[in-house]
Amino acid sequence: MSNYAYLIALVPLLSFVMIVFFLRWKEKLAAGWSIASILASWTMSLIVLIETLGRHGEPLEYFFYLTTFKGINFEIGILIDGLTAVMLMVVTTVASCVHIYSLGYMKDDPRFSRFFSYLSLFCFSMLGLVLANNFFMIFIFWELVGLTSYLLIGFWFEKKSAADAGKKAFITTRIGDLGFIVGLMMVGAYAGTFNYGGVFEKVASGQIPTAVLTVMAAFIFCGAIGKSAQFPLHVWLPDAMEGPTPVSALIHAATMVAAGVYLVARSMNLYVGAPEAAMIVAVIGLVTSFIAASIGLVQNDIKRILAYSTVSQLGYMIMALGLYGYDVGMDPHAHSAGFYAGTFHLMTHAFFKGLLFLGAGSVIHAVHTNDIQDMGGLLGKMKITSVTFILASLSIAGIFPLAGFWSKDEIVAATHGHPIFNIFTLIIAFMTAFYMFRLCFLTFFGKPRDQHRYEHAHESPRSMSWPLAFLGFLAVSAGWVGIPTLHGFSSFVFFGEPYHTSFHWDVMIISTIVAVAGIVLAYLIYYKKSISADMLAEKFRPIHTFLYNKWYFDELYSFVIINPILALGRFLWTFDARIVDGLVNGAAWLTIVWADIKWWFDKWIVDGAVNGAGWIVSQGSGLLRLIQNGAVQFYALFVLGGLLVLIAFKYEDVYVSLEWPWLSAIIIVALGLLSLVAKRTASREAAAETETEK
Amino acid sequence: MDASVGPVFWILAAVTILSGIAVVSLKNIFHCALFLILCLFSVAGIYILLHAEFLAAAQVLIYVGAVAILMIFAIMLTSGLASRTIKQVNKHALTALFACVLFVFVVIGLIFKSNVWNWARVPLPEDNVMTIGKLLMTKYMLPFEVVSVLLLAALIGAITLAREEEA
Amino acid sequence: MHHYLYLAAILFAIGTFGVITRRNVIGILMSLELMFNAVNINLVAFNKFVATEPLAGQLFAIFIVVVAAAEATVGLAIVLLVYRNWRGIETENFSVMKW
């Protein structure tokens, strides 16, 4: 099966084409086709996963050369190793759930088929990105997922905020992609190939100077910064929540935003070769994680809280990967959990965050608002949604024995030896537990704050609740493949040497205490109300405002980047209006004055010359106009003439050769024949024309 | 002087040139098309002289069989043209004649003077057609595919253009 | 080999003359075919006498034949369209696109 793995990506593409061309108006069929194809992809991914497990993650590569340009081979191909197989599984699983969920969620949308066609296109791009075996191909799919993300964020483009959010996401990620392109060019220039294996070989054999490698790795990371919404380009992801919720779950939580993490994991060789770049990666991951978690503490929009949580968790993964690159780069025998932790968390996060978003969608579907201050007490009304949502929250907070517990512990373990990272990671874990349970308590417990909305709330249809249940199962159990000392996940997805997992009792206990503390605090504030939330907000007013306004990043960017550009535009406009126009007007005015003073002089003396000149120009242009007569044949004649002139310049000796008598004879005969024909035609013409005149 | 320039060549060349002149100069467009077919046939003969049998067959099939017939169809469809006796050349006739004769002059001179060809040649394989088939499927795969896509595009384009507007 | 090149040159010139002077679009298309054929003769002749790579010339001649067929198809479709709109296919009709 593995050698047919490209089908995993192509089946959704076929579905996209079918829907766009044939099933546009048959909504049921379009959705069915789309779901069937993603389920087919899922089945194939499962087979590939099993086969890869059988090979113990041994890489498998199939490719063919597309073309060669300046000595660089451009390939199309697939690479399957443990990382690819796991990513395939994650993407197709979440995508299948989202597809089925969308059946219910998008039921009454006028662009139902289009939505499914976009989903299929996204699946194709994302699976292609995962399967790619070289940097060139990953870049193409990278841009394709960006495009589908743009299309889906702006899916309800009648809403100005949605259209704007789409543009913001597209342009912001484009800034990162610019860096990615530069990185790719450096790869092409210094490694002479785009193939992962080829590039890594060059890096390993030390053929690329470390300085170049550092810059290259940092530029490639720029792509990840944009796509995975890392600081300072994280601003697009919360706005991207304007898209339909299934899209948020699939693209902006589980899969596409994880592509940056995947890219870093995939090019880990580069970071191992350039520890400084790896350190940059780690620091940016930590900073992002902290900023996003702190913003998440005070937001009120259910989807935005989840979005900041996503950014924060992505920062976690990237930090873990960066630390791994740094540790191993500094000491090749270092035993770091980073790579394992990052990829493992990528997997578990995809499941529980996809679940959280789908659950949020279910809630929004029921109460028609995004504001958690208007919800409350939904536990009794929406059993499945509430239970799965709370399970996922426990999982992300890191409570034993749910999926998040195992992966988060590994991330904490990966910070071993970096005290600052260690402390901040725990703080972030605390904040995560707190804001997730603030969300839960406000949404599902307590008294309903908006009686009207509460009464209309109801459990979502089965097409929506079943995917929730399935993802809920995964959010609980997906972590068990990584239980230490069982060597499940760690012996399958690894870099270099498989990581030997072991129980870090200290880490487990501390992180559990931290998580429980976060939950208890949220419980006290938002359920028991023994601590007043308003009082706290009042007490820490400046911090609260600062966080509530998302660290003023949007304002900062509009002040530092957008306003100067607008100001420059306005300045140029003013310059044009005042100074340039002024100059022109002044010149005109001067001319008038000049003319007024000298009019008699002009009239009698200059006029003659001017009119004369005008007459000459007019006559001349009349002649030139004849050349530009729009008749292509006339132009062709000039082309031929031009060719002759060129030949005459280049080979002036050619004309000398014409003295050979037999050559002349041929030419004379040809000339004679042609002129005879022409003459005959001309005379006939004249006759014909007189005839038609009659 | 090489062996392939014999009486057959001269006859074919004469037919080609004369029918070519007829194509561009005759008044009746229908006759022009018939002479075009003759001209294309004799070019096919020249291909055979040059040991390009497959190309000769393709020439007859595609040009004579398809393109020329298409032209005749077009002439028939644009009714009344076949017998129209209007001026068939435009006002540039004399200038163009002069330029073209000069062109022939110059190019023939150029060819005569040049001796820069790399005469060390690879002999043509005996089984021309088979080799062409193999090359098309291996080395020239990409152009082959591109050309087929071009044909498809031309087909669709022609249908779209020429279709009668639906009421 | 020179002889083939001479023949091609003459045929090419005849074609050019036709393209420049015909008033009828179908006539122009026919002249274009002549030019294509001239080029093909050159390619095949070079292929036979001076090629360093066997059959490359013939292959490209085949591609040219295909392209010429495509060009004729689209060209004639356009001719039909023009004829339907103007009841005539003289090149003067086409100059309305000048502006």
Side-chain angles (χ1 to χ4, degrees), chain A residues 23-53:
Chain A
L23 302 175
R24 197 88 180 258
W25 310 115
K26 303 188 178 74
E27 296 191 341
K28 289 261 157 54
L29 215 52
W33 186 289
S34 184
I35 291 172
S37 49
I38 192 65
L39 285 177
S41 289
W42 182 80
T43 317
M44 288 189 280
S45 304
L46 191 62
I47 299 173
V48 167
L49 179 71
I50 292 168
E51 285 186 10
T52 317
L53 277 172

Side-chain angles (χ1 to χ4, degrees), chain B residues 67-85:
Chain B
V67 176
I69 299 302
L70 194 64
M71 299 251 172
I72 291 177
F73 256 108
I75 294 167
M76 302 268 200
L77 278 173
T78 52
S79 55
L81 281 176
S83 55
R84 214 183 270 184
T85 53

Side-chain angles (χ1 to χ4, degrees), chain A residues 644-667:
Chain A
L644 286 172
V645 173
L646 276 182
I647 297 177
F649 272 114
K650 186 105 172 69
Y651 304 97
E652 69 277 337
D653 56 325
V654 164
Y655 294 95
V656 184
S657 73
L658 303 178
E659 62 198 43
W660 279 275
W662 64 271
L663 208 56
S664 314
I666 288 182
I667 288 156

Side-chain angles (χ1 to χ4, degrees), chain A residues 198-382:
Chain A
V199 174
F200 299 155
E201 219 167 80
K202 285 264 163 63
V203 173
S205 63
Q207 289 181 37
I208 301 172
T210 314
V212 173
L213 194 62
T214 307
V215 177
M216 185 155 87
F219 270 123
I220 287 181
F221 181 58
C222 284
I225 291 182
K227 199 62 93 197
S228 287
Q230 296 298 293
F231 171 83
L233 298 179
H234 63 277
V235 289
W236 68 268
L237 188 59
D239 283 18
M241 296 303 135
E242 292 289 346
T245 308
V247 171
S248 310
L250 176 60
I251 301 183
H252 305 120
T255 57
M256 185 191 86
V257 290
V261 183
Y262 174 76
L263 180 70
V264 175
R266 182 51 88 199
S267 25
M268 186 49 78
N269 288 64
L270 301 182
Y271 297 102
V272 169
E276 287 85 357
M279 206 18 135
I280 298 176
V281 172
V283 168
I284 286 189
L286 184 70
V287 169
T288 311
S289 191
F290 182 75
I291 292 177
S294 65
I295 297 174
L297 293 176
V298 296
Q299 297 298 310
N300 280 328
D301 182 321
I302 182 168
K303 283 179 75 181
R304 273 175 194 267
I305 296 176
L306 293 178
Y308 280 110
S309 159
T310 308
V311 174
S312 165
Q313 299 296 314
L314 289 168
Y316 249 29
M317 301 172 209
I318 290 205
M319 178 196 73
L321 291 173
L323 283 177
Y324 178 84
Y326 182 76
D327 287 347
V328 176
M330 283 304 183
D331 170 20
H333 302 294
H335 191 68
S336 170
F339 189 82
Y340 161 63
T343 46
F344 187 33
H345 197 58
L346 168 58
M347 180 183 83
T348 54
H349 173 259
F351 294 136
F352 59 66
K353 190 51 68 64
L355 172 58
L356 284 172
F357 267 105
L358 293 185
S362 182
V363 168
I364 295 168
H365 197 70
V367 298
H368 301 289
T369 176
N370 281 5
D371 194 339
I372 51 173
Q373 302 292 357
D374 289 347
M375 300 174 187
L378 292 173
L379 182 64
K381 283 259 182 179
M382 308 172 73

